Amino acid sequence: MTEHRTVFNHVGLCVRDTARSRRFYEGLLGFQFWWDLEPPDNMTSALIGLPEPLGVKATYLVRDGFVLELMDYSKREVHVGSERLMDQVGLTHISLSVSDLPGVLEQVPEFGGEVLHGSVSAGAAMIRDPDGQLLELLADGWLKALPPRP
């Protein structure tokens, strides 16, 4: 066991359009705006390993203690990577429980996302946000089946 304290901070997501992503995460999934940060390029460049200029604007959204950082680059072209698959090493998806799964799925296209129709069941579905990030939506009845958290 480590001697130091570790606290969850956030998950970062590169986006093409902050306003579009905020509309999706806030309007569809109930995240709340927390704050914006525009760090200086020189410090950010060294931290994230990308050359200047960057023009990063980081927008922080919160849902049930989970912090999602939307990273938008105004001074560089962002790149659409390969479509993430569930068997690729690294972050595969973000999972959220919703009280009305069919109702949320019906609204996904209106908020710029995509429902992966082959994944839809009575209790779960996979969707993509406007930039293709994979999200798992679970009916909130699943929460009752979980063991107590440590």
Side-chain angles (χ1 to χ4, degrees):
M1 186 166 163
T2 61
E3 297 290 322
H4 64 276
R5 182 176 76 121
T6 301
V7 178
F8 173 76
N9 196 293
H10 67 270
V11 170
L13 204 57
C14 179
V15 300
R16 289 179 285 186
D17 182 328
T18 298
R20 180 180 68 169
S21 293
R22 281 191 62 184
R23 182 177 179 273
F24 179 86
Y25 284 98
E26 292 174 28
L28 180 66
L29 300 172
F31 279 76
Q32 292 184 315
F33 172 78
W34 183 17
W35 66 300
D36 284 324
L37 173 67
E38 294 185 41
D41 278 1
N42 61 339
M43 291 174 50
T44 304
S45 178
L47 178 64
I48 66 175
L50 291 174
E52 296 180 49
L54 299 170
V56 173
K57 178 180 178 186
T59 299
Y60 294 86
L61 307 178
V62 179
R63 177 77 211 200
D64 299 321
F66 174 76
V67 179
L68 184 63
E69 175 193 30
L70 306 177
M71 296 178 65
D72 194 339
Y73 296 87
S74 65
K75 294 181 182 173
R76 72 179 291 120
E77 188 75 29
V78 295
H79 306 280
V80 177
S82 63
E83 190 172 279
R84 297 286 304 166
L85 301 174
M86 293 295 280
D87 65 352
Q88 284 180 285
V89 173
L91 179 67
T92 58
H93 67 288
I94 298 170
S95 182
L96 301 163
S97 294
V98 296
S99 62
D100 178 12
L101 182 60
V104 172
L105 292 177
E106 189 175 296
Q107 295 179 63
V108 168
E110 174 188 334
F111 285 92
E114 173 192 4
V115 176
L116 303 182
H117 291 286
S119 72
V120 178
S121 70
M126 298 302 280
I127 66 172
R128 291 196 185 274
D129 79 358
D131 288 307
Q133 175 61 53
L134 198 54
L135 304 170
E136 175 186 47
L137 299 182
L138 299 172
D140 68 357
W142 169 251
L143 298 173
K144 296 174 192 160
L146 296 175
R149 290 188 182 194

